[in-house]
Amino acid sequence: MQIYLVGGAVRDQLLQQPVKDKDFVVVGATVSEMLDAGFQQVGADFPVFLHPTTHEEYALARTERKQGSGYKGFSVHASPDVSLEDDLQRRDLTINAMAIEVVSLTDDTPVSGDVIDYYGGLQDLENKTLRHVSDAFSEDPLRVLRTARFYGRYYDLGFTIAEDTLTLMRQLVNSGELAHLSAERIWQESSRATMQLSPQVYWQQLFEIGALTEYFAPLHDAWEDTHIRETVQTALYFAGQMRLNLPQRWALLMVSLTPSLFNNEHTHDQSKALRDINDIGNKAKVPKAHTQFAILFAQQAETLSMINSLSAAKKIDLIQACGAHKEPDKLSQLLVCSHVLQLATQHRQMMLALNSFHAIGMTDIAPDLKGPAIGAALRQSRIEHLQAHDTY
């Protein structure tokens, strides 16, 4: 019997990131041996056990074979003759397919500290690349979401997704396999990704490969508008930096569905936006409280943005509408969302201005100008460029 620390714990240890959970693979053991050692078996599909004192997961080495649709459509083979190499081959990304041997079932001290790496995970860590282990990646649609989540998680460390892995992700999307994922798993991956430091990365990546159309179709349609997409992505970035909670981040994402807040289209049917937010919540199994908070923010976002100019009557009406007389914290959270959205709007405006500033140089003005006339001409040309490209 040999025991190995595997997966995320090895990856994050090498990246010098906090190790949250430890998972182990046991090679050469049987179910009865694990039970005799005091481990508790969990999961009916394959033999995974909880350590009797640490409650960490120990799984028998196993292989999988695709037999049906979705991430559940696999037959699992676990036996003492399955090798560590075989077990690691079924994993999603090379950086998640490394192992370190430990002493025993009751002692997780590394035997030597050497990393066992059959599939190039160390090289991909060095190159900051997310790459699939094998073509079996395309058998599991959940890996589209997991890879996008890992991309968001390590985005600030400079990681990118390998082009051939992106190709497989697009193929999985186009195959319709995502339709076989359970809504619970969709929400599990999406909520975890939305609570990362750069939550906008996950949603942008899914949008780019067309993966939003199955469970988040109204969001995909809204993000076809570059103005809305870039503003909301910036808002999500600020939400991550400011450590906003999940309902606030979800509300900022869902406000994408109210174009009147972005394009001054006051004739927009707000009731459709609210239905879309509710429909997404139902389809993706979003907790009802999050959906209700998102709907409330969409309803009151315009009013919240004008707090300084509201009359006493309108302020009292806002208190009533938000239920702040019962839950004052909710009003505070809504105000923070409003400020983050305004900050994102201002940021995008100034980035457009900065682009116009850099777009105009000496070659864009008359060559015979002298002295102060040069600065005046540059300024005027930059103003005209911004006026022509400003989408507000």
Side-chain angles (χ1 to χ4, degrees):
M1 184 187 302
Q2 294 171 295
I3 300 89
Y4 302 89
L5 178 69
V6 297
V10 178
R11 176 198 67 227
D12 288 337
Q13 181 177 310
L14 292 169
L15 286 172
Q16 297 183 329
Q17 297 287 305
V19 175
K20 297 180 180 178
D21 300 302
K22 290 182 178 181
D23 294 314
F24 299 85
V25 162
V26 183
V27 176
T30 63
V31 171
S32 60
E33 286 175 315
M34 297 297 290
L35 295 175
D36 289 344
F39 283 71
Q40 178 185 354
Q41 185 170 355
V42 294
D45 296 331
F46 47 81
V48 177
F49 304 84
L50 296 182
H51 191 282
T53 56
T54 67
H55 302 294
E56 291 167 336
E57 288 192 359
Y58 287 68
L60 296 187
R62 64 187 187 269
T63 58
E64 296 173 347
R65 187 161 58 91
K66 182 77 167 177
Q67 285 191 322
S69 299
Y71 72 98
K72 290 185 176 179
F74 295 90
S75 64
V76 176
H77 171 68
S79 73
D81 62 359
V82 177
S83 69
L84 176 67
E85 184 173 1
D86 292 336
D87 181 274
L88 295 176
Q89 188 180 33
R90 66 177 177 77
R91 296 176 183 264
D92 49 7
L93 303 172
T94 61
I95 65 169
N96 296 332
M98 297 178 287
I100 295 174
E101 187 174 6
V102 300
V103 173
S104 69
L105 288 174
T106 56
D107 184 355
D108 65 4
T109 303
V111 171
S112 68
D114 293 339
V115 177
I116 300 168
D117 176 28
Y118 298 111
Y119 302 106
L122 287 171
Q123 186 65 49
D124 284 335
L125 273 185
E126 183 177 342
N127 295 334
K128 298 183 177 181
T129 301
L130 301 176
R131 187 188 312 279
H132 60 285
V133 174
S134 71
D135 287 345
F137 178 96
S138 59
E139 296 178 351
D140 185 355
L142 187 63
R143 290 176 173 179
V144 172
L145 305 187
R146 280 177 54 82
T147 302
R149 177 167 63 81
F150 280 120
Y151 181 35
R153 180 174 179 178
Y154 298 118
Y155 177 81
D156 295 297
L157 297 181
F159 274 74
T160 58
I161 303 176
E163 281 300 322
D164 51 351
T165 303
L166 275 173
T167 297
L168 291 181
M169 291 169 70
R170 291 190 181 97
Q171 288 175 357
L172 265 170
V173 171
N174 294 335
S175 73
E177 278 279 302
L178 265 65
H180 298 288
L181 289 175
S182 71
E184 289 80 5
R185 293 307 296 268
I186 294 282
W187 176 245
Q188 182 182 44
E189 291 295 326
S190 298
S191 59
R192 290 177 69 185
T194 303
M195 285 306 294
Q196 293 177 160
L197 185 62
S198 295
Q200 77 285 358
V201 176
Y202 172 83
W203 295 102
Q204 170 66 15
Q205 185 59 68
L206 294 187
F207 171 76
E208 288 180 356
I209 63 174
L212 294 179
T213 56
E214 184 60 43
Y215 286 84
F216 307 100
L219 179 61
H220 177 90
D221 294 342
W223 275 20
E224 294 285 3
D225 184 319
T226 303
H227 175 184
I228 293 175
R229 183 176 72 251
E230 291 183 353
T231 302
V232 171
Q233 286 175 5
T234 302
L236 287 174
Y237 166 76
F238 287 135
Q241 298 298 310
M242 296 167 65
R243 302 295 198 274
L244 268 59
N245 63 30
L246 182 54
Q248 289 173 303
R249 297 181 191 211
W250 188 249
L252 288 166
L253 178 64
M254 289 295 99
V255 84
S256 304
L257 307 179
T258 57
S260 60
L261 295 175
F262 301 89
N263 299 319
N264 296 319
E265 297 174 0
H266 296 291
T267 59
H268 174 70
D269 181 6
Q270 188 188 64
S271 62
K272 180 182 183 304
L274 303 184
R275 286 196 304 271
D276 286 341
I277 295 172
N278 193 61
D279 288 346
I280 286 177
N282 289 333
K283 191 164 188 178
K285 296 293 185 184
V286 180
K288 187 162 290 187
H290 298 355
T291 295
Q292 291 172 343
F293 185 84
I295 287 175
L296 182 59
F297 181 59
Q299 289 173 321
Q300 303 299 333
E302 186 173 354
T303 304
L304 290 163
S305 70
M306 300 186 297
I307 289 290
N308 292 337
S309 60
L310 290 183
S311 66
K314 288 189 178 295
K315 288 177 181 175
I316 294 298
D317 290 343
L318 180 62
I319 293 290
Q320 182 73 40
C322 294
H325 54 299
K326 297 179 180 178
E327 298 180 78
D329 285 349
K330 183 181 290 186
L331 179 59
S332 300
Q333 292 176 15
L334 288 167
L335 284 168
V336 170
C337 287
S338 177
H339 285 303
V340 168
L341 186 59
Q342 291 178 66
L343 178 61
T345 300
Q346 294 164 357
H347 183 273
R348 186 170 187 273
Q349 288 181 16
M350 292 312 298
M351 289 301 100
L352 289 171
L354 185 61
N355 288 341
S356 290
F357 191 97
H358 289 306
I360 301 299
M362 293 298 292
T363 57
D364 300 299
I365 61 175
D368 57 343
L369 295 176
K370 305 292 184 182
I374 295 175
L378 286 171
R379 177 177 178 273
Q380 184 58 36
S381 294
R382 286 163 177 161
I383 291 171
E384 292 171 359
H385 184 278
L386 179 58
Q387 290 172 336
H389 294 83
D390 194 343
T391 58
Y392 284 81

